[in-house]
């Protein structure tokens, strides 16, 4: 803090030294130059709108002001405003500028807003100064202007708003209407600082619990400051928090840039119990001044030690109340016997030495007693605890104790719970060594009031405690219009309460009516200028919850959507809600959903869904989903039902709506029939085609695939029937309502128009005049290009290409006709050739057969004659043996020679027959080649 203040003041002095040295004539040049220098010195963007320099308003001092000064973060804190002022004003001693010793006499911060943030990784948005080693490179010093010395005597903060959010520690603090005045001569080594501050609203929240809510905070102090050693000693110091007035004494030092030393004791200056009651919002009302009260209060403590990156100061706190009592004069009952004995020790060096001792906490509210004890030691190594809660609270009787003008309560809460043991026994499942048992019952509790977004009714809650688990026998509640019912078991409950570990549960979750619009509405009223108090806000899913919910929800309202019969498993875990095959009926159809709602990064929540949608009604979907209105505005003009398989990932904005540019998805869209009426796009298509049948059309048998990315929907080409035409459609459209589609139509000639038919008939007549009788196509192909926006579409028609295609089709038809005629001639020639080939081959085979037959007959005749001649020779030899032998030998020789001659005749006949056949085959082959 010291380093930040020193560097901040140095930057301011440099800034105004330039302004004083170069007067108002060069104000615009000065602003630009100084902005450049400052922005090079910080990890942030520094801006202001104007610089004012005045002698009159500050005389005899020089008054210099920056208007609308802002410091905006970069990198992880891009766009986050760290500091903003209406005006930042300095008063300078004018004479000192000429003596070489420029004195800053006072500094005023007018309506500043400071927003300090610590992220979960420990990075902070207020560490913006660039180290000296990274500063702007040094240049030769030629400046002969006056030296600059800070001699601040007054520091004034007017009507500030200061916010601190620590995501790492899960806590936040706020100061609104904060005014601070400090006077003292800071040019001296030793000075008395007189400090006065007031805060109209002070709040502090940790882990979701508001420990201080809308409290008033005032402070008056005189501090002796050693500005050489940076040691501050508190003189008379009073801090008032509502009606509690605390005194403080001791010292605070900053010996170096890393350490802050504390030796401070604080104590209550008032001992009346009533002052403590001012910290209870329900008690601290407009009637608080008339409250009757008695009892003694002791509230004191100390903070001693060093604060740095490695350790914290050790803090002691003691709170004791003896015989406390209070009652409002106009109410019949009181709170009595308030006795508290509590001591807290936080050891900032050895955190395991930290102790909590609530030895006694007893009170009786309208006669109903409540007691509590709690002891905790060794919280870091192995937490040991011993405690109990016991009592009965009749909520209806609270109205008899404290004013309840804006709230109504009834019902009873009974608790009787005790526990004792070590956390290690729970971790090691050594449940026998840990004592934990008891009962918490809530019966017929009803709470309503203007500070609640809706009436709350808890009909019955029964919880039985044991070391192993909490048995939730019943939880039956109504939140506004919604009813919720749960039962099951919760595990790891004690570590969840005392160490913020994860609680686990397996629960049955049911509801007859669940209005998520009401439950998720932002009705806190804490954010200024909220126009729509019913707008939904991001619901953060706790990371330390691990629940499995078997769900049966009869009717759920979400945004403009009514969902029936949700059945399936919901898993709440690690900051996510996971849907496992969750079935439901909606939009006159059904849906099966798996996926997750993820708030692990609460600044950028997201959904990742896998949906199977069956037969949902298009008009209902359009009215229910803004996403449909953005991504498919043409659906406003559609009637019918669709089915779809869709995978979908998107970031969500602060109102739980998809960030359209972040959507990534793909899927299929299927429908039997869609009717489109009164669509600007189809009205222009009808006008372009000069056919009113395309104004209101049916699209049939759609099975289209699509992809969503970079803020656009890309539709892959698909075939469908569009009114009287066949169609092939594809293209893309954007969330900016622009579209880029093509539509290839095959339109019946009867629907296309007389002009096109005249052209086509003319082409056909030209073909007929050439001797070709062409049968024309019954359809004309038209290509449409659809651009522009859904409200102002542009239609382009490529009719020339369509006509050229028609000409090509007729040309191809003519060519095909010629081919058919040529083929017919070829087949006729072939048929005649085959007949001639058959005749040639038949005649050749007949001649060859005749040749062979004649040769055979001639041979057989020669053999027959030889045989007869041999027989005659033998016969003529008679009985003479010698003549007979000679005759037989001659006859045998004659027969043999005749057989040889017959064989020769057959051989010569075969050769001649072959020659005849070969000649015929050559003639046949020649004919086959035609």
């Amino acid at each position: 803090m010291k380093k930040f203040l020193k560097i901040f003041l140095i930057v301011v002095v440099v800034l105004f030294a330039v302004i004083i040295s170069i007067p108002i004539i060069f104000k615009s040049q000065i602003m630009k130059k100084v902005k450049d220098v400052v922005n090079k010195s910080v990890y942030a963007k520094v801006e202001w709108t104007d610089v004012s320099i005045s002698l009159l308003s500050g005389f005899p001092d020089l008054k210099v002001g920056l208007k609308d000064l802002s410091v905006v973060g970069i990198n992880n804190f891009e766009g986050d405003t760290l500091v903003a002022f209406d005006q930042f004003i300095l008063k300078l001693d004018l004479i000192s500028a000429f003596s070489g010793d420029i004195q800053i006499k006072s500094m005023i911060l007018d309506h500043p807003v400071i927003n300090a943030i610590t992220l979960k990784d420990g990075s902070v948005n207020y560490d913006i100064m660039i180290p000296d080693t990274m500063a702007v490179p040094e240049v030769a010093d030629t400046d002969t202007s006056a030296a600059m010395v800070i001699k601040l005597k007054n520091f004034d903060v007017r009507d500030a708003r200061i916010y601190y959010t620590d995501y790492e520690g899960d806590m936040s603090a706020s100061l609104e209407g904060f005014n601070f005045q400090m006077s003292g001569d800071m040019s001296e080594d030793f000075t008395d600082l007189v400090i006065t501050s007031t805060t109209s609203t002070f709040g502090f929240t940790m882990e979701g619990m508001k420990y201080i809510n809308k409290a008033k905070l005032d402070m008056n102090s005189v501090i002796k400051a050693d500005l050489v050693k940076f040691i501050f000693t508190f003189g008379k110091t009073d801090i008032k928090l509502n009606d509690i007035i605390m005194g403080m004494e001791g010292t605070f030092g900053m010996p170096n840039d890393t350490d802050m030393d504390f030796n401070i004791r604080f104590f209550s200056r008032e001992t009346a119990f009533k002052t403590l009651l001012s910290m209870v919002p329900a008690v601290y009302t407009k009637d608080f001044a008339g409250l009757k009260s008695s009892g003694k209060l002791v509230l004191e403590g100390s903070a001693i030690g060093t604060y740095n990156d490695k350790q914290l100061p050790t803090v002691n706190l003691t709170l004791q109340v003896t015989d406390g009592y209070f009652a409002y004069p106009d109410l019949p009952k009181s709170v009595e016997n308030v006795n508290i004995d509590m001591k807290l020790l936080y050891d900032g060096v050895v955190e395991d030495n930290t102790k909590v001792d609530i030895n006694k906490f007893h009170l009786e509210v309208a006669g109903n007693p409540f007691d509590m004890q709690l002891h905790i030691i060794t919280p870091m190594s192995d937490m040991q605890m011993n405690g109990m809660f016991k009592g009965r609270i009749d909520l209806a009787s609270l109205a008899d104790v404290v004013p309840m003008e804006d709230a109504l309560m009834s019902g009873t809460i009974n608790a009787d719970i005790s526990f004792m043991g070590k956390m290690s026994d729970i971790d090691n499942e050594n449940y026998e060594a840990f004592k934990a048992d008891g009962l918490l019952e809530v019966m017929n509790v009803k709470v309503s009031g203007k500070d609640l977004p809706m009436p709350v009714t808890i009909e019955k809650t029964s919880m039985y405690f044991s070391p192993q688990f909490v048995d939730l026998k019943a939880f039956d509640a109504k939140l506004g219009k919604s009813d919720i019912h749960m039962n099951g078991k919760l595990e790891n409950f004690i570590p969840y309460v005392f160490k913020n570990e994860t609680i686990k549960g397996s629960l049955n979750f049911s509801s007859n009516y669940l209005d998520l619009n009401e439950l998720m509405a932002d009705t806190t009223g804490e954010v200024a200028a909220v126009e729509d108090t019913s707008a939904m806000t991001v619901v953060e899913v706790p990371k330390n919850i691990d629940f499995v919910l078997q769900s049966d929800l009869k009717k759920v309202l979400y945004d403009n959507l009514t969902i029936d019969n949700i059945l399936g498993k919901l898993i709440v875990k690690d900051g996510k809600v996971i849907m496992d095959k969750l079935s439901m009926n909606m939009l006159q159809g059904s849906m099966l959903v798996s996926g997750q709602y993820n708030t692990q990064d609460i600044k950028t929540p997201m959904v990742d869904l896998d949906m199977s949608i069956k037969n949902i009604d298009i008009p209902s979907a359009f009215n229910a989903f803004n996403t449909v209105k953005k991504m498919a505005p043409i659906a406003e003009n559609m009637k019918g039902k669709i089915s779809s398989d869709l995978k979908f990932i998107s970031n969500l904005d602060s109102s739980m709506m998809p960030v359209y540019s972040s959507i990534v998805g793909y899927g299929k869209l299927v429908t039997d029939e869609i009717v489109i009426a009164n669509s600007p796009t189809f009205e222009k298509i009808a006008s372009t085609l000069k056919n009113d049948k395309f104004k209101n059309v049916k699209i049939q048998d759609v099975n289209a695939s699509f992809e969503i990315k970079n803020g656009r929907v890309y539709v892959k080409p698909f075939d469908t029937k569009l009114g009287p035409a066949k169609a092939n459609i594809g293209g893309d459209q954007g969330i900016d309502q622009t579209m880029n589609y093509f539509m290839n139509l095959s339109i019946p000639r009867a629907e296309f128009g007389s002009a096109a038919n005249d052209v086509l008939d003319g082409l056909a007549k030209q073909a007929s005049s050439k001797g070709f009788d062409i049968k024309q196509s019954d359809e004309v192909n038209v290509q449409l290009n659809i651009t522009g926006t859904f409200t102002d579409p542009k239609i382009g028609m490529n009719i020339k290409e369509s006509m050229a295609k028609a000409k090509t089709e007729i040309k191809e038809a003519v060519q095909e006709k010629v081919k058919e005629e040529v083929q017919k001639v070829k087949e006729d020639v072939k048929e005649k050739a085959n007949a001639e080939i058959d005749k040639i081959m038949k005649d050749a085979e007949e001649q060859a057969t005749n040749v062979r037959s004649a040769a055979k007959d001639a041979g057989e005749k020669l053999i027959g004659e030889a045989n007869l001649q041999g027989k005659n020779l033998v016969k003529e030899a008679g009985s003479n043996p010698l003549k007979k032998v000679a005759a037989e030998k001659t006859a045998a020789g004659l027969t043999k020679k005749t057989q040889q001659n017959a064989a020769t005749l057959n051989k010569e006949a075969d050769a001649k027959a072959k020659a005849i056949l070969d000649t015929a085959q050559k003639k046949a082959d020649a004919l086959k080649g035609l």
Side-chain angles (χ1 to χ4, degrees):
M1 186 66 183
K2 172 183 173 183
K3 181 178 180 181
F4 175 79
L5 180 61
K6 288 168 66 177
I7 296 173
F8 182 72
L9 293 177
I10 290 170
V11 171
V12 172
V13 171
V14 172
L15 172 64
F16 288 98
V18 174
I19 294 175
I20 294 171
S21 301
I22 305 175
I24 302 172
I25 300 173
F26 302 103
K27 186 170 77 169
S28 62
Q29 294 93 325
I30 292 171
M31 288 177 62
K32 183 179 185 305
K33 182 64 177 176
V34 173
K35 283 182 182 180
D36 291 342
V37 172
V38 172
N39 278 294
K40 289 179 180 178
S41 303
V42 295
Y43 293 115
K45 186 177 181 181
V46 183
E47 291 283 351
W48 56 85
T49 59
D50 197 10
V51 176
S52 62
I53 304 173
S54 174
L55 280 171
L56 295 176
S57 61
F59 190 82
D61 299 320
L62 182 66
K63 184 178 178 182
V64 183
L66 290 178
K67 187 177 181 181
D68 297 327
L69 175 66
S70 65
V71 181
V72 179
I74 59 175
N75 300 330
N76 289 345
F77 300 97
E78 182 75 31
D80 290 339
T81 300
L82 170 61
V83 178
F85 304 95
D86 281 1
Q87 288 194 84
F88 177 54
I89 303 170
L90 295 179
K91 285 187 178 181
L92 311 175
D93 188 305
L94 181 61
I95 304 301
S96 67
F98 300 99
S99 66
D101 185 16
I102 299 174
Q103 297 181 17
I104 300 177
K105 297 177 68 174
S106 70
M107 183 184 299
I108 300 173
L109 309 183
D110 186 28
H111 286 81
V113 177
I114 301 173
N115 185 28
I117 299 172
T118 299
L119 297 180
K120 290 187 177 181
D121 61 5
S123 58
V124 298
N125 71 333
Y126 47 84
D127 185 12
I128 63 171
M129 302 310 301
I130 296 177
D132 294 340
T133 56
M134 299 178 62
V136 180
E138 295 183 0
V139 296
D141 187 4
T142 59
D143 187 9
T144 58
S145 61
M148 292 163 287
V149 178
I150 300 173
K151 291 194 174 183
L152 188 65
K153 294 184 179 181
N154 289 286
F155 179 66
D156 194 358
V157 179
R158 299 174 180 175
D159 197 16
R161 288 179 291 160
I162 302 173
Y163 304 98
Y164 174 66
T165 303
D166 185 346
Y167 291 104
E168 184 180 25
D170 194 12
M171 60 182 176
S172 62
S174 64
L175 297 171
E176 296 184 356
F178 175 67
N179 294 279
F180 180 88
Q181 298 84 35
M182 180 176 70
S183 61
D185 192 346
M186 295 188 188
S187 64
E188 301 293 335
D189 292 342
F190 301 93
T191 187
D192 286 344
L193 301 178
V194 179
I195 296 176
T196 302
S197 75
T198 61
T199 303
S200 60
T201 302
F202 170 46
F204 177 75
T205 301
M206 178 177 285
E207 297 180 354
M209 181 174 291
K210 293 183 178 180
Y211 289 92
I212 300 175
N213 185 31
K214 298 181 181 180
K216 295 180 179 179
L217 177 64
D218 300 332
M219 176 179 176
N220 296 286
S221 180
V222 177
I223 301 174
K224 295 187 177 297
D226 180 346
L227 299 179
V228 177
K229 296 181 180 179
F230 249 71
I231 298 175
F232 303 89
T233 303
F234 291 90
K236 178 174 174 53
T237 298
D238 288 334
I239 300 173
K240 185 178 181 182
L241 188 62
N242 285 347
D243 274 20
I244 296 179
I245 302 175
M246 301 294 294
M248 188 168 67
E249 60 186 27
T251 61
F252 166 75
M254 298 177 66
N256 52 54
D257 289 340
T258 60
D259 293 344
M260 289 186 283
D261 292 337
F262 292 82
N263 188 357
I264 295 174
R265 188 176 75 87
F266 52 89
F267 48 88
S268 174
R269 294 193 183 277
E270 295 285 341
T271 61
F273 169 56
K274 182 178 180 179
T275 61
L276 182 64
L277 294 175
S278 71
M279 292 304 301
V280 182
V283 177
Y284 195 63
T285 64
K286 63 183 180 180
D287 300 323
F288 185 76
L291 186 73
K292 296 179 181 179
S293 176
S294 63
K296 298 296 182 181
L297 169 70
V298 175
L299 178 59
E300 60 186 17
S302 64
I304 301 172
T306 300
Y307 173 86
N308 55 34
D309 292 339
K310 298 180 180 179
Q311 67 181 66
L312 295 170
T314 294
V315 178
N316 276 284
L317 177 65
T318 297
L319 171 64
Q320 292 180 335
V321 175
T322 304
D323 297 330
Y325 162 87
F326 73 88
Y328 282 89
D330 296 333
L331 295 178
K333 297 182 181 179
S334 61
V335 176
E336 301 176 349
N337 295 326
V338 180
N339 289 279
I340 302 172
D341 181 6
M342 180 174 68
K343 293 183 179 180
L344 306 177
L345 167 65
Y346 171 75
D347 192 324
V349 179
V350 182
E351 290 187 305
D352 205 37
N353 292 334
T354 298
K355 294 194 301 182
V356 176
D357 285 306
I358 303 178
N359 298 308
K360 190 173 187 179
F361 186 100
H362 175 85
L363 54 81
E364 297 169 11
V365 180
N368 296 308
F370 181 82
D371 289 277
M372 181 181 74
Q373 291 181 2
L374 179 63
H375 302 277
I376 297 175
I377 60 173
T378 62
M380 306 308 294
S381 60
D382 184 9
M383 183 184 294
Q384 299 182 56
M385 64 198 80
N386 183 2
M388 56 82 68
F389 302 88
K390 186 175 182 178
R392 182 179 185 273
I393 299 176
D394 183 353
L395 296 179
S397 67
L398 289 180
D400 296 330
V401 175
V402 294
M404 293 287 180
E405 296 179 1
D406 300 319
L408 295 173
M409 291 188 292
S410 62
T412 59
I413 302 174
N414 290 300
D416 188 358
I417 303 169
S418 61
F419 51 89
M420 180 175 65
K422 298 179 180 180
M423 190 63 70
S424 59
D425 289 327
I426 298 293
D427 295 338
N428 297 327
E429 300 183 2
N430 185 21
Y431 300 120
E432 293 79 5
F434 194 99
K435 176 193 174 185
D437 55 58
L439 168 67
L440 174 64
E441 279 189 338
V442 180
M443 300 295 292
N444 299 319
V445 167
K446 297 181 181 180
V447 182
S448 62
K450 71 173 186 178
D451 291 332
L452 291 174
M454 66 201 74
V456 176
T457 300
I458 302 177
E459 297 171 353
K460 182 180 181 181
T461 296
S462 299
M463 302 175 69
Y464 294 87
F465 292 81
S466 69
Q468 296 95 328
F469 55 82
V470 175
D471 191 357
L472 179 63
K473 293 292 188 182
F475 178 82
D476 300 316
K478 287 199 69 174
L479 306 178
K481 303 172 186 174
S482 304
D483 65 278
I484 296 175
H485 309 276
M486 287 191 292
N487 62 73
K489 291 185 178 180
L490 303 176
E491 300 177 4
N492 214 43
F493 184 81
I494 294 174
Y496 169 75
V497 172
F498 290 99
K499 294 177 65 177
N500 201 32
E501 292 186 5
T502 299
I503 185 171
K504 299 180 180 180
S506 179
L507 302 169
N508 297 312
F509 173 43
S510 63
S511 174
N512 293 308
Y513 186 88
L514 198 59
D515 187 347
L516 294 180
N517 297 328
E518 184 181 38
L519 297 179
M520 297 168 65
D522 178 12
T523 56
T524 61
E526 293 184 359
V527 180
V530 175
E531 295 180 359
D532 183 4
T533 58
S534 64
M536 288 185 292
T537 58
V538 173
V539 177
E540 183 173 9
V541 181
K543 295 181 177 62
N544 59 346
I545 286 180
D546 183 357
F547 286 170
V548 177
L549 304 175
Q550 294 292 343
S551 304
D552 182 0
L553 312 176
K554 302 301 184 187
K555 186 177 291 293
V556 177
L557 268 61
Y558 176 73
D559 200 13
N560 297 322
L561 194 62
T562 300
I563 310 172
D564 296 317
N565 300 320
I566 299 179
L567 294 171
K569 186 185 295 184
L570 284 171
I571 302 171
V572 183
K573 184 178 182 180
D574 298 331
K576 299 182 289 186
V577 176
I578 301 169
M579 291 155 277
D580 183 9
K581 296 180 180 178
L582 211 62
S583 66
M584 60 195 75
N585 298 325
M586 55 187 287
L587 305 173
Q588 303 179 32
S590 65
M591 182 183 295
L592 185 68
V593 182
S594 293
Q596 61 175 272
Y597 163 65
N598 189 325
T599 64
Q600 290 178 328
D601 181 357
I602 191 61
K603 287 190 172 182
T604 312
M606 56 88 71
V607 290
D608 182 354
L609 302 176
D610 187 347
M611 298 182 286
S612 178
I613 301 168
K614 302 295 183 186
N615 297 319
I616 67 169
D617 180 64
I618 296 176
S620 300
F622 182 85
N623 293 326
F625 292 116
N626 286 329
T627 305
V628 176
K629 294 177 182 179
K630 281 283 187 179
M631 303 302 288
I634 196 173
E636 184 177 13
N637 308 108
M638 291 182 176
K639 291 183 179 179
K641 293 193 173 186
I642 61 172
S643 299
S644 179
D645 291 325
L646 172 62
K647 291 184 181 295
F648 180 94
I649 299 174
S650 175
N651 294 334
L652 301 177
D653 62 20
S654 59
S655 59
M656 293 285 285
M657 296 303 297
V659 178
Y660 296 106
S661 60
S662 74
I663 295 175
V664 177
Y666 63 91
K668 278 192 172 184
L669 185 69
V670 178
T671 182
D672 293 333
E673 181 178 283
I674 297 173
V675 177
I676 302 178
N678 303 317
S679 164
T681 300
F682 279 89
E683 286 181 356
K684 285 200 173 182
I685 289 174
S687 175
T688 301
L689 295 175
K690 296 181 174 56
N691 189 329
D692 287 344
K693 290 185 179 180
F694 288 92
K695 278 187 177 181
N696 302 321
V697 297
K698 290 182 181 179
I699 301 180
Q700 296 175 306
D701 301 326
V702 174
N703 190 338
S705 298
F706 61 88
E707 184 178 8
I708 307 172
K709 60 182 180 180
N710 301 324
R712 299 193 73 80
V713 179
Y714 296 87
V715 180
K716 294 181 180 180
F718 65 95
D719 294 325
T720 184
K721 192 169 188 311
L722 182 65
K726 296 176 184 176
N728 179 263
I729 304 172
D732 60 271
Q733 63 189 62
I735 59 173
D736 57 359
Q737 307 294 292
T738 60
M739 53 182 172
N740 181 29
Y741 279 101
F742 70 83
M743 187 180 292
N744 294 327
L745 301 175
S746 293
I747 306 174
R749 284 190 58 188
E751 301 289 346
F752 190 70
S754 61
N757 282 312
D758 290 344
V759 172
L760 296 174
D761 289 340
L763 293 172
K765 288 178 181 178
Q766 290 179 31
S768 179
S769 68
K770 304 297 182 181
F772 298 102
D773 183 15
I774 304 299
K775 183 180 180 180
Q776 299 184 53
S777 172
D778 292 332
E779 295 178 338
V780 176
N781 295 319
V782 177
Q783 180 177 328
L784 299 179
N785 294 316
I786 305 169
T787 57
T789 66
F790 284 97
T791 55
D792 185 19
K794 310 295 183 186
I795 309 298
M797 182 172 69
N798 196 343
I799 190 64
K800 290 183 179 180
E801 183 175 330
S802 299
M803 292 296 100
K805 187 174 181 180
K807 289 180 180 179
T808 300
E809 289 176 350
I810 291 178
K811 181 179 178 181
E812 290 174 351
V814 170
Q815 291 174 343
E816 186 64 29
K817 182 68 175 177
V818 170
K819 287 181 181 179
E820 289 177 359
E821 292 298 326
V822 170
Q823 184 65 27
K824 185 176 180 181
V825 170
K826 285 183 176 181
E827 289 176 354
D828 187 53
V829 170
K830 186 176 180 180
E831 183 178 356
K832 291 179 178 180
N834 288 336
E836 184 65 22
I837 289 169
D838 290 343
K839 184 175 183 305
I840 290 171
M841 294 304 298
K842 184 177 181 181
D843 290 346
E845 288 175 357
E846 185 176 350
Q847 289 178 26
T849 301
N850 291 337
V851 169
R852 289 189 181 98
S853 179
K856 182 179 178 183
D857 291 345
E860 289 177 349
K861 183 177 180 182
L862 288 174
I863 293 171
E865 290 176 352
N867 289 334
L868 180 61
Q869 188 177 356
K871 288 180 178 180
N872 290 332
L873 288 175
V874 172
K875 183 176 180 182
E876 289 177 359
S879 60
N880 188 333
L882 291 175
K883 287 183 177 182
K884 191 174 183 179
V885 171
E888 289 176 350
K889 185 175 181 181
T890 300
L894 182 61
T895 300
K896 181 177 180 183
K897 187 175 181 180
T898 302
Q899 288 176 339
Q900 289 176 346
N901 291 335
T904 299
L905 286 174
N906 287 331
K907 185 175 181 181
E908 289 175 352
D910 285 339
K912 187 177 180 179
K914 184 175 182 302
I916 293 170
L917 291 173
D918 288 344
T919 301
Q921 186 63 51
K922 288 179 180 179
K923 290 181 180 179
D925 290 341
L927 289 173
K928 286 181 180 178
L930 293 177

